Amino acid sequence: MKKITQNILMWCLPLLLLVGACENKSATDAKGKIAVIVSTLNNPWFVVLAETAAQEAEALGYEVSIFDSQNNTALENNHFENAITAGFQAILFNPTDAEGSVSNVAKAAEAGIAVFCMDREVNSSLPTSQILSDNYAGCVSLGKYFVDQLDKSGNYVEILGLVGDNNTWNRSKGFHSVVDHYPELKMVAQQSADFDRNKAMEVMESILQVHRDIDAVFCGNDAMAMGAYQALKAAGMENDVEVFGFDGAADVVDAVKDGRIAATAMQFPKVMAKTAAQLADNYIQGEKDFVKKLPVDVELVHPGNVEHYAAYGKKE
């Protein structure tokens, strides 16, 4: 599997990285072409998702290209138009926006190209199938652990992901479905940091200027959890405030082990990516009847069980 080595300019030909056909097969010998269009490659979690999808499709005999939308729906639109023009037969898709990405899926559907969403969903029945983490259930488990760790009382902050992404709200709703039953747990601030580590650090720094009396921070993903932790550490508060994430990223699994992060919820991006590639192969081989949404379980990771987990999944 070749590594992603460079970013692209926004209006360049959006062929970011030719992952290539199998080592012993030329592109002309491939069964067809599959595109992997991913919301961003600035987050290691999405790099794993995109590379695994490409690797699996490549192993199944396809020529594969990865396109980075850089969390920009306009750039994502360009990728879809180029994928349609270039004759890709299926798109393994990680959307930038649940609503804003629907028009792109519609273009592909109109062109007869199958779209398999991975991890993030669009608010439409047009995708051939959507393979999604059970974010709500994962955050119910995380919320229960949160309540226990805080002994049912204290002040906390919530840092949200992208406001246009369903994952953001499914995670938040799952968390609050538990935590809101405890009146002594008080949310003193709630802000978005777009699933971005640096933005989360800035948001946390800003919140700390107003709210110093906090006991915990619930973050919608692991990148933001690490950003919040950095801000707390800079303020000398890292030992007084518990930080909770979501994803199962490598650095957060390590941080749970050494006590910097209280817990995270493990998603399984490799499972979602491989499933999407295999379904795309089935589609190209002639199958047309697919389940519209395939849920993938999420598991709570905390100091008591972290030894059973590695980055982005369980230890093999």
Side-chain angles (χ1 to χ4, degrees):
M1 179 67 188
K2 297 183 174 81
K3 299 293 185 184
I4 297 166
T5 56
Q6 63 181 16
N7 291 324
I8 58 166
L9 297 175
M10 178 171 293
W11 305 112
C12 285
L13 179 69
L15 182 63
L16 299 183
L17 176 66
L18 179 62
V19 180
C22 296
E23 292 290 338
N24 297 320
K25 299 183 73 174
S26 69
T28 56
D29 293 330
K31 292 161 68 177
K33 297 197 295 184
I34 292 178
V36 178
I37 300 179
V38 62
S39 59
T40 178
L41 292 175
N42 288 331
N43 183 325
W45 196 92
F46 292 110
V47 173
V48 171
L49 184 78
E51 287 194 339
T52 303
Q55 190 174 35
E56 183 70 14
E58 191 181 47
L60 289 166
Y62 293 91
E63 181 184 347
V64 182
S65 297
I66 298 177
F67 301 80
D68 180 1
S69 300
Q70 300 175 24
N71 279 329
N72 183 326
T73 52
L75 184 55
E76 180 185 276
N77 176 64
N78 287 349
H79 294 332
F80 267 79
E81 290 184 350
N82 281 283
I84 292 168
T85 302
F88 285 86
Q89 293 153 291
I91 296 173
L92 311 183
F93 183 38
N94 174 248
T96 58
D97 189 288
E99 288 292 343
S101 298
V102 171
S103 60
N104 293 325
V105 177
K107 288 179 185 176
E110 187 176 351
I113 299 173
V115 176
F116 296 88
C117 290
M118 305 180 292
D119 174 54
R120 291 180 177 176
E121 67 178 319
V122 295
N123 295 331
S124 169
S125 62
L126 288 172
T128 309
S129 186
Q130 304 199 70
I131 302 98
L132 311 167
S133 288
D134 193 341
N135 292 286
Y136 186 92
C139 278
V140 168
S141 298
L142 200 56
K144 291 177 180 176
Y145 188 76
F146 181 95
V147 169
D148 288 341
Q149 291 301 109
L150 270 68
D151 198 19
K152 304 177 183 176
S153 68
N155 296 329
Y156 72 92
V157 169
E158 180 179 9
I159 300 181
L160 299 163
L162 290 164
V163 295
D165 178 31
N166 287 1
N167 287 351
T168 294
W169 299 111
N170 288 336
R171 293 171 191 177
S172 182
K173 290 174 183 175
F175 175 76
H176 283 284
S177 73
V178 177
V179 176
D180 290 358
H181 289 290
Y182 298 89
E184 297 303 315
L185 284 171
K186 298 179 181 178
M187 185 172 69
V188 298
Q190 182 190 56
Q191 290 189 36
S192 169
D194 296 340
F195 290 137
D196 184 88
R197 181 172 180 154
N198 291 331
K199 288 184 180 178
M201 184 172 64
E202 294 170 2
V203 164
M204 194 70 238
E205 288 171 347
S206 176
I207 290 172
L208 289 176
Q209 292 177 11
V210 180
H211 301 287
R212 301 286 293 188
D213 183 19
I214 60 172
D215 303 289
V217 182
F218 169 63
C219 300
N221 79 345
D222 281 348
M224 296 192 300
M226 292 306 295
Y229 177 82
Q230 283 181 272
L232 290 165
K233 186 176 182 179
M237 298 173 64
E238 73 273 21
N239 295 323
D240 302 320
V241 180
E242 296 195 73
V243 180
F244 298 77
F246 191 102
D247 273 345
D251 52 355
V252 168
V253 171
D254 290 339
V256 171
K257 289 177 184 175
D258 63 27
R260 287 174 292 149
I261 300 294
T264 186
M266 177 65 71
Q267 296 194 84
F268 295 90
K270 294 179 181 179
V271 172
M272 288 187 279
K274 288 181 179 180
T275 301
Q278 290 161 4
L279 292 181
D281 179 50
N282 292 346
Y283 175 87
I284 293 169
Q285 298 307 312
E287 183 176 340
K288 302 303 177 190
D289 187 19
F290 294 89
V291 174
K292 281 297 181 180
K293 288 188 180 180
L294 283 175
V296 177
D297 288 341
V298 174
E299 299 180 8
L300 177 67
V301 179
H302 54 76
N305 68 1
V306 68
E307 73 272 13
H308 300 303
Y309 294 88
Y312 314 112
K314 286 184 174 178
K315 287 182 177 177
E316 298 179 356

Tab-separated table of all heavy atoms in Angstrom, residues 93-144:
chain	number	residue	atom	x	y	z
A	93	PHE	N	-17.344	6.547	0.255
A	93	PHE	CA	-17.528	7.970	0.545
A	93	PHE	C	-17.615	8.241	2.039
A	93	PHE	O	-18.416	7.636	2.756
A	93	PHE	CB	-18.824	8.432	-0.142
A	93	PHE	CG	-19.144	9.884	-0.010
A	93	PHE	CD1	-18.153	10.850	-0.055
A	93	PHE	CD2	-20.471	10.306	0.130
A	93	PHE	CE1	-18.452	12.194	0.054
A	93	PHE	CE2	-20.785	11.645	0.234
A	93	PHE	CZ	-19.774	12.595	0.200
A	94	ASN	N	-16.797	9.193	2.485
A	94	ASN	CA	-16.880	9.733	3.843
A	94	ASN	C	-17.284	11.201	3.696
A	94	ASN	O	-16.461	12.045	3.357
A	94	ASN	CB	-15.525	9.585	4.546
A	94	ASN	CG	-15.484	10.247	5.893
A	94	ASN	OD1	-14.793	11.233	6.075
A	94	ASN	ND2	-16.234	9.720	6.836
A	95	PRO	N	-18.559	11.532	3.919
A	95	PRO	CA	-19.078	12.867	3.573
A	95	PRO	C	-18.542	13.980	4.482
A	95	PRO	O	-18.169	13.756	5.630
A	95	PRO	CB	-20.596	12.707	3.772
A	95	PRO	CG	-20.856	11.234	3.843
A	95	PRO	CD	-19.609	10.631	4.412
A	96	THR	N	-18.598	15.195	3.954
A	96	THR	CA	-18.234	16.366	4.755
A	96	THR	C	-19.428	16.925	5.520
A	96	THR	O	-19.255	17.585	6.540
A	96	THR	CB	-17.678	17.488	3.864
A	96	THR	OG1	-18.661	17.825	2.882
A	96	THR	CG2	-16.395	17.060	3.171
A	97	ASP	N	-20.648	16.681	5.004
A	97	ASP	CA	-21.824	17.319	5.604
A	97	ASP	C	-23.064	16.465	5.300
A	97	ASP	O	-23.305	16.103	4.150
A	97	ASP	CB	-21.998	18.732	5.020
A	97	ASP	CG	-23.063	19.532	5.749
A	97	ASP	OD1	-24.253	19.221	5.593
A	97	ASP	OD2	-22.696	20.475	6.471
A	98	ALA	N	-23.841	16.177	6.339
A	98	ALA	CA	-24.992	15.285	6.170
A	98	ALA	C	-25.998	15.826	5.163
A	98	ALA	O	-26.614	15.064	4.414
A	98	ALA	CB	-25.666	15.054	7.524
A	99	GLU	N	-26.178	17.140	5.124
A	99	GLU	CA	-27.102	17.746	4.171
A	99	GLU	C	-26.375	18.215	2.908
A	99	GLU	O	-26.825	17.992	1.790
A	99	GLU	CB	-27.829	18.931	4.813
A	99	GLU	CG	-28.865	18.543	5.856
A	99	GLU	CD	-30.079	17.834	5.263
A	99	GLU	OE1	-30.268	17.930	4.036
A	99	GLU	OE2	-30.808	17.177	6.019
A	100	GLY	N	-25.237	18.883	3.103
A	100	GLY	CA	-24.508	19.484	1.980
A	100	GLY	C	-23.949	18.469	1.002
A	100	GLY	O	-23.667	18.807	-0.155
A	101	SER	N	-23.777	17.233	1.434
A	101	SER	CA	-23.209	16.203	0.556
A	101	SER	C	-24.264	15.447	-0.234
A	101	SER	O	-23.925	14.655	-1.122
A	101	SER	CB	-22.383	15.205	1.387
A	101	SER	OG	-21.290	15.846	2.013
A	102	VAL	N	-25.537	15.677	0.051
A	102	VAL	CA	-26.609	14.921	-0.612
A	102	VAL	C	-26.592	15.158	-2.128
A	102	VAL	O	-26.760	14.224	-2.921
A	102	VAL	CB	-27.984	15.297	-0.021
A	102	VAL	CG1	-29.107	14.688	-0.864
A	102	VAL	CG2	-28.090	14.816	1.425
A	103	SER	N	-26.364	16.406	-2.543
A	103	SER	CA	-26.387	16.709	-3.986
A	103	SER	C	-25.284	15.949	-4.724
A	103	SER	O	-25.461	15.565	-5.893
A	103	SER	CB	-26.233	18.211	-4.209
A	103	SER	OG	-25.000	18.671	-3.679
A	104	ASN	N	-24.150	15.743	-4.059
A	104	ASN	CA	-23.065	14.989	-4.705
A	104	ASN	C	-23.439	13.524	-4.883
A	104	ASN	O	-23.175	12.924	-5.933
A	104	ASN	CB	-21.784	15.115	-3.879
A	104	ASN	CG	-21.240	16.526	-3.894
A	104	ASN	OD1	-21.350	17.228	-4.909
A	104	ASN	ND2	-20.665	16.961	-2.788
A	105	VAL	N	-24.067	12.956	-3.870
A	105	VAL	CA	-24.519	11.564	-3.983
A	105	VAL	C	-25.571	11.455	-5.088
A	105	VAL	O	-25.592	10.491	-5.861
A	105	VAL	CB	-25.084	11.075	-2.635
A	105	VAL	CG1	-25.632	9.654	-2.769
A	105	VAL	CG2	-24.007	11.119	-1.557
A	106	ALA	N	-26.431	12.462	-5.190
A	106	ALA	CA	-27.470	12.447	-6.218
A	106	ALA	C	-26.858	12.453	-7.622
A	106	ALA	O	-27.339	11.752	-8.524
A	106	ALA	CB	-28.390	13.649	-6.041
A	107	LYS	N	-25.782	13.234	-7.815
A	107	LYS	CA	-25.111	13.257	-9.119
A	107	LYS	C	-24.568	11.883	-9.481
A	107	LYS	O	-24.694	11.425	-10.623
A	107	LYS	CB	-23.954	14.267	-9.095
A	107	LYS	CG	-24.377	15.713	-9.081
A	107	LYS	CD	-23.137	16.597	-9.022
A	107	LYS	CE	-23.537	18.062	-8.889
A	107	LYS	NZ	-22.336	18.924	-8.730
A	108	ALA	N	-23.956	11.241	-8.504
A	108	ALA	CA	-23.400	9.907	-8.766
A	108	ALA	C	-24.520	8.917	-9.074
A	108	ALA	O	-24.403	8.110	-10.006
A	108	ALA	CB	-22.587	9.439	-7.554
A	109	ALA	N	-25.606	8.988	-8.311
A	109	ALA	CA	-26.728	8.069	-8.538
A	109	ALA	C	-27.307	8.261	-9.932
A	109	ALA	O	-27.635	7.299	-10.627
A	109	ALA	CB	-27.794	8.283	-7.467
A	110	GLU	N	-27.416	9.517	-10.339
A	110	GLU	CA	-27.955	9.805	-11.671
A	110	GLU	C	-27.057	9.248	-12.770
A	110	GLU	O	-27.527	8.836	-13.830
A	110	GLU	CB	-28.106	11.318	-11.851
A	110	GLU	CG	-28.809	11.726	-13.130
A	110	GLU	CD	-29.018	13.237	-13.226
A	110	GLU	OE1	-28.768	13.926	-12.224
A	110	GLU	OE2	-29.440	13.711	-14.286
A	111	ALA	N	-25.739	9.219	-12.471
A	111	ALA	CA	-24.778	8.682	-13.439
A	111	ALA	C	-24.642	7.170	-13.345
A	111	ALA	O	-23.846	6.569	-14.083
A	111	ALA	CB	-23.416	9.345	-13.217
A	112	GLY	N	-25.397	6.552	-12.442
A	112	GLY	CA	-25.336	5.097	-12.297
A	112	GLY	C	-24.146	4.592	-11.530
A	112	GLY	O	-23.732	3.434	-11.674
A	113	ILE	N	-23.558	5.460	-10.682
A	113	ILE	CA	-22.386	5.073	-9.889
A	113	ILE	C	-22.826	4.800	-8.456
A	113	ILE	O	-23.466	5.641	-7.816
A	113	ILE	CB	-21.320	6.192	-9.920
A	113	ILE	CG1	-20.865	6.437	-11.362
A	113	ILE	CG2	-20.137	5.833	-9.025
A	113	ILE	CD1	-19.943	7.621	-11.513
A	114	ALA	N	-22.478	3.642	-7.945
A	114	ALA	CA	-22.853	3.267	-6.584
A	114	ALA	C	-22.034	4.062	-5.575
A	114	ALA	O	-20.843	4.307	-5.767
A	114	ALA	CB	-22.623	1.776	-6.368
A	115	VAL	N	-22.686	4.492	-4.491
A	115	VAL	CA	-22.003	5.224	-3.412
A	115	VAL	C	-22.219	4.470	-2.101
A	115	VAL	O	-23.358	4.188	-1.714
A	115	VAL	CB	-22.550	6.658	-3.276
A	115	VAL	CG1	-21.887	7.368	-2.087
A	115	VAL	CG2	-22.296	7.449	-4.555
A	116	PHE	N	-21.112	4.157	-1.431
A	116	PHE	CA	-21.155	3.478	-0.142
A	116	PHE	C	-20.561	4.425	0.903
A	116	PHE	O	-19.356	4.705	0.883
A	116	PHE	CB	-20.373	2.164	-0.198
A	116	PHE	CG	-20.967	1.169	-1.156
A	116	PHE	CD1	-20.598	1.174	-2.503
A	116	PHE	CD2	-21.925	0.257	-0.732
A	116	PHE	CE1	-21.165	0.278	-3.401
A	116	PHE	CE2	-22.496	-0.649	-1.626
A	116	PHE	CZ	-22.115	-0.635	-2.965
A	117	CYS	N	-21.406	4.948	1.790
A	117	CYS	CA	-20.923	5.873	2.815
A	117	CYS	C	-20.220	5.104	3.934
A	117	CYS	O	-20.670	4.025	4.337
A	117	CYS	CB	-22.080	6.676	3.394
A	117	CYS	SG	-22.779	7.870	2.229
A	118	MET	N	-19.150	5.704	4.434
A	118	MET	CA	-18.377	5.108	5.527
A	118	MET	C	-18.327	6.090	6.692
A	118	MET	O	-17.961	7.245	6.515
A	118	MET	CB	-16.939	4.815	5.074
A	118	MET	CG	-16.795	3.970	3.837
A	118	MET	SD	-15.058	3.690	3.412
A	118	MET	CE	-14.558	5.359	2.923
A	119	ASP	N	-18.698	5.624	7.864
A	119	ASP	CA	-18.580	6.367	9.120
A	119	ASP	C	-19.553	7.520	9.232
A	119	ASP	O	-20.254	7.638	10.221
A	119	ASP	CB	-17.145	6.862	9.330
A	119	ASP	CG	-17.045	7.752	10.544
A	119	ASP	OD1	-17.465	7.302	11.633
A	119	ASP	OD2	-16.589	8.907	10.431
A	120	ARG	N	-19.601	8.395	8.271
A	120	ARG	CA	-20.529	9.527	8.302
A	120	ARG	C	-21.661	9.275	7.305
A	120	ARG	O	-21.429	8.776	6.212
A	120	ARG	CB	-19.814	10.829	7.935
A	120	ARG	CG	-18.827	11.304	8.977
A	120	ARG	CD	-18.185	12.597	8.517
A	120	ARG	NE	-17.286	13.145	9.507
A	120	ARG	CZ	-16.547	14.237	9.320
A	120	ARG	NH1	-16.616	14.888	8.155
A	120	ARG	NH2	-15.757	14.685	10.261
A	121	GLU	N	-22.867	9.698	7.679
A	121	GLU	CA	-24.004	9.461	6.817
A	121	GLU	C	-24.466	10.742	6.131
A	121	GLU	O	-24.088	11.850	6.525
A	121	GLU	CB	-25.169	8.870	7.621
A	121	GLU	CG	-25.769	9.802	8.640
A	121	GLU	CD	-26.944	9.151	9.362
A	121	GLU	OE1	-27.755	8.475	8.711
A	121	GLU	OE2	-27.047	9.345	10.579
A	122	VAL	N	-25.249	10.580	5.089
A	122	VAL	CA	-25.954	11.698	4.482
A	122	VAL	C	-27.444	11.486	4.708
A	122	VAL	O	-27.923	10.359	4.828
A	122	VAL	CB	-25.652	11.830	2.969
A	122	VAL	CG1	-24.193	12.174	2.742
A	122	VAL	CG2	-26.023	10.556	2.216
A	123	ASN	N	-28.176	12.586	4.775
A	123	ASN	CA	-29.615	12.519	5.040
A	123	ASN	C	-30.378	12.251	3.754
A	123	ASN	O	-31.087	13.102	3.222
A	123	ASN	CB	-30.086	13.826	5.683
A	123	ASN	CG	-29.463	14.036	7.042
A	123	ASN	OD1	-29.136	13.083	7.751
A	123	ASN	ND2	-29.285	15.301	7.422
A	124	SER	N	-30.202	11.048	3.253
A	124	SER	CA	-30.803	10.683	1.980
A	124	SER	C	-30.820	9.157	1.860
A	124	SER	O	-29.970	8.473	2.448
A	124	SER	CB	-29.993	11.281	0.824
A	124	SER	OG	-30.405	10.737	-0.404
A	125	SER	N	-31.760	8.662	1.087
A	125	SER	CA	-31.791	7.221	0.797
A	125	SER	C	-31.038	6.899	-0.488
A	125	SER	O	-31.017	5.744	-0.926
A	125	SER	CB	-33.245	6.753	0.679
A	125	SER	OG	-33.889	7.429	-0.399
A	126	LEU	N	-30.407	7.903	-1.111
A	126	LEU	CA	-29.734	7.687	-2.387
A	126	LEU	C	-28.466	6.830	-2.313
A	126	LEU	O	-28.162	6.115	-3.273
A	126	LEU	CB	-29.398	9.042	-3.025
A	126	LEU	CG	-30.597	9.821	-3.577
A	126	LEU	CD1	-30.179	11.224	-3.997
A	126	LEU	CD2	-31.208	9.072	-4.755
A	127	PRO	N	-27.667	6.890	-1.216
A	127	PRO	CA	-26.496	6.000	-1.186
A	127	PRO	C	-26.911	4.536	-1.320
A	127	PRO	O	-27.961	4.121	-0.815
A	127	PRO	CB	-25.880	6.272	0.191
A	127	PRO	CG	-26.329	7.645	0.539
A	127	PRO	CD	-27.711	7.759	-0.031
A	128	THR	N	-26.091	3.764	-1.978
A	128	THR	CA	-26.389	2.340	-2.139
A	128	THR	C	-26.448	1.664	-0.779
A	128	THR	O	-27.300	0.825	-0.517
A	128	THR	CB	-25.310	1.685	-3.027
A	128	THR	OG1	-25.176	2.467	-4.223
A	128	THR	CG2	-25.697	0.264	-3.394
A	129	SER	N	-25.535	2.060	0.111
A	129	SER	CA	-25.569	1.598	1.502
A	129	SER	C	-24.717	2.552	2.339
A	129	SER	O	-23.822	3.213	1.817
A	129	SER	CB	-25.016	0.171	1.610
A	129	SER	OG	-25.166	-0.327	2.924
A	130	GLN	N	-25.020	2.616	3.645
A	130	GLN	CA	-24.237	3.455	4.552
A	130	GLN	C	-23.766	2.574	5.718
A	130	GLN	O	-24.594	1.996	6.436
A	130	GLN	CB	-25.061	4.626	5.069
A	130	GLN	CG	-25.644	5.493	3.938
A	130	GLN	CD	-26.072	6.871	4.400
A	130	GLN	OE1	-25.248	7.721	4.730
A	130	GLN	NE2	-27.364	7.124	4.417
A	131	ILE	N	-22.451	2.504	5.898
A	131	ILE	CA	-21.851	1.674	6.938
A	131	ILE	C	-21.401	2.609	8.045
A	131	ILE	O	-20.450	3.393	7.871
A	131	ILE	CB	-20.667	0.854	6.393
A	131	ILE	CG1	-21.143	-0.025	5.222
A	131	ILE	CG2	-20.066	-0.013	7.487
A	131	ILE	CD1	-20.865	0.539	3.860
A	132	LEU	N	-22.082	2.559	9.191
A	132	LEU	CA	-21.940	3.612	10.199
A	132	LEU	C	-21.720	3.045	11.592
A	132	LEU	O	-22.341	2.043	11.970
A	132	LEU	CB	-23.219	4.470	10.218
A	132	LEU	CG	-23.738	4.976	8.877
A	132	LEU	CD1	-25.148	5.527	9.043
A	132	LEU	CD2	-22.813	6.033	8.300
A	133	SER	N	-20.870	3.724	12.373
A	133	SER	CA	-20.742	3.382	13.788
A	133	SER	C	-22.043	3.696	14.509
A	133	SER	O	-22.745	4.648	14.163
A	133	SER	CB	-19.615	4.196	14.436
A	133	SER	OG	-18.356	3.750	14.005
A	134	ASP	N	-22.337	2.890	15.528
A	134	ASP	CA	-23.513	3.179	16.362
A	134	ASP	C	-23.093	4.232	17.392
A	134	ASP	O	-22.831	3.932	18.553
A	134	ASP	CB	-23.998	1.900	17.037
A	134	ASP	CG	-25.379	2.078	17.654
A	134	ASP	OD1	-25.785	3.240	17.870
A	134	ASP	OD2	-26.039	1.070	17.924
A	135	ASN	N	-23.046	5.482	16.933
A	135	ASN	CA	-22.534	6.576	17.770
A	135	ASN	C	-23.402	6.818	18.999
A	135	ASN	O	-22.891	7.095	20.079
A	135	ASN	CB	-22.462	7.855	16.938
A	135	ASN	CG	-21.405	7.786	15.866
A	135	ASN	OD1	-20.224	7.866	16.154
A	135	ASN	ND2	-21.824	7.638	14.616
A	136	TYR	N	-24.700	6.723	18.813
A	136	TYR	CA	-25.606	6.986	19.937
A	136	TYR	C	-25.359	5.977	21.056
A	136	TYR	O	-25.145	6.361	22.218
A	136	TYR	CB	-27.049	6.923	19.447
A	136	TYR	CG	-28.067	7.319	20.498
A	136	TYR	CD1	-28.511	8.634	20.603
A	136	TYR	CD2	-28.587	6.375	21.388
A	136	TYR	CE1	-29.445	9.003	21.570
A	136	TYR	CE2	-29.506	6.737	22.356
A	136	TYR	CZ	-29.943	8.047	22.433
A	136	TYR	OH	-30.858	8.409	23.393
A	137	ALA	N	-25.375	4.693	20.717
A	137	ALA	CA	-25.175	3.662	21.747
A	137	ALA	C	-23.792	3.784	22.376
A	137	ALA	O	-23.630	3.588	23.595
A	137	ALA	CB	-25.364	2.275	21.135
A	138	GLY	N	-22.788	4.118	21.572
A	138	GLY	CA	-21.436	4.273	22.109
A	138	GLY	C	-21.367	5.371	23.152
A	138	GLY	O	-20.682	5.241	24.173
A	139	CYS	N	-22.100	6.451	22.910
A	139	CYS	CA	-22.062	7.567	23.854
A	139	CYS	C	-22.999	7.361	25.036
A	139	CYS	O	-22.842	8.032	26.064
A	139	CYS	CB	-22.346	8.886	23.136
A	139	CYS	SG	-20.865	9.536	22.332
A	140	VAL	N	-23.953	6.455	24.914
A	140	VAL	CA	-24.714	6.048	26.097
A	140	VAL	C	-23.762	5.342	27.081
A	140	VAL	O	-23.753	5.640	28.273
A	140	VAL	CB	-25.889	5.124	25.703
A	140	VAL	CG1	-26.489	4.470	26.942
A	140	VAL	CG2	-26.954	5.908	24.950
A	141	SER	N	-22.952	4.439	26.559
A	141	SER	CA	-21.964	3.751	27.414
A	141	SER	C	-20.971	4.740	28.001
A	141	SER	O	-20.639	4.674	29.196
A	141	SER	CB	-21.215	2.688	26.599
A	141	SER	OG	-22.091	1.705	26.123
A	142	LEU	N	-20.515	5.670	27.165
A	142	LEU	CA	-19.561	6.672	27.639
A	142	LEU	C	-20.204	7.566	28.694
A	142	LEU	O	-19.567	7.931	29.700
A	142	LEU	CB	-19.076	7.502	26.454
A	142	LEU	CG	-17.779	8.282	26.596
A	142	LEU	CD1	-16.617	7.371	26.984
A	142	LEU	CD2	-17.456	8.986	25.288
A	143	GLY	N	-21.481	7.913	28.502
A	143	GLY	CA	-22.187	8.744	29.479
A	143	GLY	C	-22.322	8.061	30.827
A	143	GLY	O	-22.162	8.701	31.880
A	144	LYS	N	-22.615	6.768	30.813
A	144	LYS	CA	-22.728	6.028	32.074
A	144	LYS	C	-21.399	6.012	32.817
A	144	LYS	O	-21.346	6.187	34.043
A	144	LYS	CB	-23.200	4.594	31.794
A	144	LYS	CG	-24.630	4.503	31.299
A	144	LYS	CD	-25.010	3.053	30.970
A	144	LYS	CE	-26.451	2.966	30.477
A	144	LYS	NZ	-26.812	1.581	30.066
